[in-house]
Amino acid sequence: MEEMIIMTGISFREFVQKLDREGKLLHAKKKLSLKLEVASLLHSVEPRPLLAEVRESEYRIVGNLFATKELVAECLGCRKEELVKRMLYAIENPSEPKVVERSEAPVLENTITNVDLTKMPIPLHLPNDGGPYITSGVVIANDREYGRNLSFHRMMVIGKNKVVARILPRHLNEFINRVEANGGELDIAIVVGAPINVLLAGATSVDIGMDEMKIANTLMPIRTVKLDNGIEVPADAEFVYEGIVTKEEENEGPFLDLTGTYDIVRRQRVIEITKIHHRDNPIHHVLLPGGAEHKILMGMPREPTIFREVNKVTECTGVNITQGGCSWLHAVVGIKKKNENDGARAITAAFAGHKSLKHVVIVDDDIDINNMEEVEWAIATRVQGDRDVFIFKDQKGSSLDPSANPMTLATAKIGVDATVPLNEKKKFKKEGYKEINIDEYL
Ligand SMILES: Cc1cc2nc3c(=O)[nH]c(=O)nc-3n(C[C@H](O)[C@H](O)[C@H](O)COP(=O)(O)O)c2cc1C
Ligand SMILES: [Mn+2]
């Protein structure tokens, strides 16, 4: 594959300004309340990006900034169709970001040491939510052996300098356990208003010990700056919260998540926020829970990992994590079938490429994986249930799936092989009528 290197990355702020120049950024004409109004307006204008001032904070908010793949592609300076390959290239070719001096880092233009989260533009999204939530925060943490890790964690504000964070048993959780086993506490930095490469890398699942910031840097070059706690953060971010993961636990939730249904309340770790750094005139990034932007950031980074696994067993032509499947539970995978069992092998590989995937449909490359009517047509005309549907019982599923067991995550998974048997290609060809100029006839 050809090398894909761009020299300069675009910061969160520069992208907001670019969209504004192009007339693609909506401006709310009056100040919004953080209580429900911000969320309601973001929802109403989806997927158009919106900038607004808020009543309860001096800082502005922006949302729906990356609510479509087109917006993501525009920010990365590529075509929508190139995104999966761009991300795969970044995963396979991580590179070291440039570290700059503090004086060169806009994010350090201002530092608040007397933290008061009630003054921050953190919205209450729905009346039944457990509290206001930071939704766009990418947590950066260091481990002595594993190095750096990036991951998203929603955070519910529970005090002036305290949040309770949803931390699934993945890498950050492992870092916490490791430092606590040695009697320490984990320092973290939470980035809000992170550039698109950091957002995508933060949502990418790679092996522990792989530094997602290096993936971000290959996706688009980034400058970082070192904080007092030793953590390097994007130098051009809007906000960075410094924090410590305490041993205290509190109720986290209820929270309306990706699926549009309520996630349960759980005992989760409390994070103490010790400092807030921000650029001049900063903009807080709001990721509307269950909204289009949330879906894009969740689903997109799973497409390259599925692509990679499927490509190991047969030629993969594309992956679509579908919006209707909450951009998490469903995928359509295109293959160039060469062996009769390629469809079945692709199903197993797709599940390996995204552990939370529940249903997957494999199609031939004559089907447009982004057109769900075509995918359904393939299921309708090419599938025999007793031959092509594979059911896997008692699998580990997603904590976001309300139909899975919320404690054990037990779920069934289904793979549908909607590809055509190799020797019957002709029978399944989609025939078309001849194009005609109707003006000659009517
Ligand atoms: C918008 C968004 C919100 C997320 N919220 C959470 C969360 O609250 N808790 C969590 O554990 N993972 C959350 N994730 C998923 C993790 O970021 C993702 O699984 C990541 O790969 C974990 O990093 P790790 O592989 O380094 O552990 C979220 C992802 C996105 C894109
Ligand atoms: Mn990781």
Side-chain angles (χ1 to χ4, degrees):
M1 187 172 176
E2 78 277 23
E3 267 194 76
M4 291 184 282
I5 293 175
I6 5 167
M7 295 319 288
T8 50
I10 171 168
S11 69
F12 187 90
R13 179 72 60 95
E14 285 164 336
F15 189 56
V16 172
Q17 289 167 340
K18 180 176 193 289
L19 292 180
D20 204 12
R21 277 198 307 277
E22 294 170 355
K24 293 179 186 162
L25 183 68
L26 298 173
H27 292 254
K29 66 181 179 197
K30 58 180 185 183
K31 285 193 177 184
L32 306 179
S33 172
L34 288 170
K35 294 196 186 70
L36 313 182
E37 210 172 18
V38 163
S40 299
L41 188 59
L42 282 174
H43 173 71
S44 303
V45 302
E46 264 186 346
R48 287 177 294 167
L50 171 85
L51 180 74
E53 291 188 39
V54 300
R55 288 218 291 274
E56 300 89 343
S57 171
E58 65 181 283
Y59 309 118
R60 297 168 295 169
I61 62 98
V62 73
N64 301 342
L65 195 61
F66 301 109
T68 63
K69 283 186 183 171
E70 284 78 7
L71 285 162
V72 173
E74 174 169 355
C75 194
L76 287 173
C78 68
R79 288 184 306 118
K80 190 177 115 179
E81 294 72 28
E82 292 167 343
L83 286 168
V84 172
K85 284 197 174 149
R86 273 283 288 272
M87 286 193 288
L88 196 55
Y89 180 81
I91 291 170
E92 287 172 352
N93 299 275
S95 57
E96 197 69 61
K98 179 174 186 224
V99 186
V100 300
E101 293 297 322
R102 290 180 185 208
S103 57
E104 289 178 63
V107 72
L108 298 183
E109 279 163 352
N110 307 273
T111 295
I112 303 169
T113 49
N114 184 13
V115 173
D116 184 355
L117 295 172
T118 64
K119 294 193 171 145
M120 304 304 290
I122 303 169
L124 176 74
H125 300 91
L126 284 163
N128 293 329
D129 281 6
Y133 266 91
I134 301 173
T135 49
S136 66
V138 175
V139 172
I140 307 179
N142 292 332
D143 178 85
R144 227 183 276 173
E145 283 157 56
Y146 288 128
R148 175 163 48 196
N149 196 72
L150 269 56
S151 50
F152 274 89
H153 299 275
R154 69 188 189 221
M155 293 175 189
M156 187 173 105
V157 177
I158 55 165
K160 268 186 130 175
N161 63 346
K162 280 183 180 178
V163 296
V164 53
R166 171 71 175 132
I167 304 173
L168 280 134
R170 290 198 278 248
H171 300 167
L172 180 67
N173 189 60
E174 180 70 17
F175 281 22
I176 296 168
N177 292 341
R178 285 165 57 85
V179 73
E180 288 181 357
N182 290 320
E185 281 180 318
L186 191 70
D187 287 317
I188 59 168
I190 306 154
V191 189
V192 171
I196 187 62
N197 50 347
V198 170
L199 294 171
L200 290 171
T204 301
S205 219
V206 285
D207 289 343
I208 196 162
M210 269 198 76
D211 177 356
E212 288 93 356
M213 190 72 89
K214 292 186 185 167
I215 295 174
N217 190 64
T218 301
L219 211 44
M220 188 170 81
I222 185 167
R223 313 185 312 147
T224 60
V225 64
K226 196 173 198 157
L227 303 177
D228 286 339
N229 63 9
I231 299 175
E232 286 164 13
V233 300
D236 299 276
E238 294 294 319
F239 291 91
V240 168
Y241 294 73
E242 276 187 41
I244 298 164
V245 182
T246 72
K247 292 204 176 68
E248 212 182 310
E249 284 185 348
E250 282 294 341
N251 284 343
E252 187 274 324
F255 181 77
L256 183 106
D257 214 315
L258 193 66
T259 49
T261 56
Y262 263 97
D263 199 356
I264 60 170
V265 176
R266 299 178 185 83
R267 300 294 287 175
Q268 293 282 291
R269 288 301 183 94
V270 172
I271 292 168
E272 188 191 323
I273 307 294
T274 51
K275 277 182 206 167
I276 303 173
H277 308 281
H278 66 84
R279 296 179 66 133
D280 290 341
N281 211 4
I283 313 170
H284 218 265
H285 187 194
V286 176
L287 271 181
L288 186 69
E293 187 173 26
H294 187 190
K295 287 193 171 133
I296 288 285
L297 292 176
M298 289 285 291
M300 266 188 60
R302 307 291 145 164
E303 291 175 353
T305 54
I306 294 175
F307 187 96
R308 180 164 62 169
E309 290 305 316
V310 173
N311 219 26
K312 285 179 188 166
V313 299
T314 179
E315 187 181 339
C316 184
T317 54
V319 178
N320 177 21
I321 300 261
T322 69
Q323 289 232 357
C326 313
S327 294
W328 196 241
L329 301 173
H330 287 183
V332 179
V333 175
I335 62 169
K336 215 174 213 125
K337 187 166 165 175
K338 293 184 190 81
N339 304 294
E340 212 45 80
N341 63 354
D342 278 358
R345 282 158 56 101
I347 288 170
T348 313
F351 286 132
H354 172 26
K355 297 286 189 299
S356 293
L357 190 64
K358 185 164 79 161
H359 299 146
V360 62
V361 180
I362 313 294
V363 294
D364 291 303
D365 63 344
D366 63 330
I367 301 295
D368 178 358
I369 57 169
N370 295 306
N371 179 339
M372 293 313 287
E373 283 218 9
E374 266 193 44
V375 173
E376 191 180 353
W377 177 81
I379 297 172
T381 59
R382 297 176 175 184
V383 171
Q384 281 297 305
D386 56 352
R387 180 192 64 192
D388 301 320
V389 176
F390 299 82
I391 300 179
F392 306 86
K393 281 191 192 160
D394 213 17
Q395 304 288 301
K396 188 151 178 274
S398 168
S399 65
L400 298 176
D401 177 2
S403 77
N405 183 316
M407 299 323 286
T408 63
L409 303 184
T411 191
K413 298 196 175 198
I414 299 176
V416 177
D417 178 5
T419 60
V420 166
L422 281 177
N423 55 2
E424 293 183 275
K425 279 246 147 96
K426 221 172 156 191
K427 190 167 137 192
F428 292 95
K429 192 162 169 274
K430 197 173 201 172
E431 292 295 348
Y433 291 101
K434 183 171 170 292
E435 285 293 331
I436 208 161
N437 180 4
I438 56 172
D439 292 341
E440 286 178 28
Y441 298 85
L442 303 173

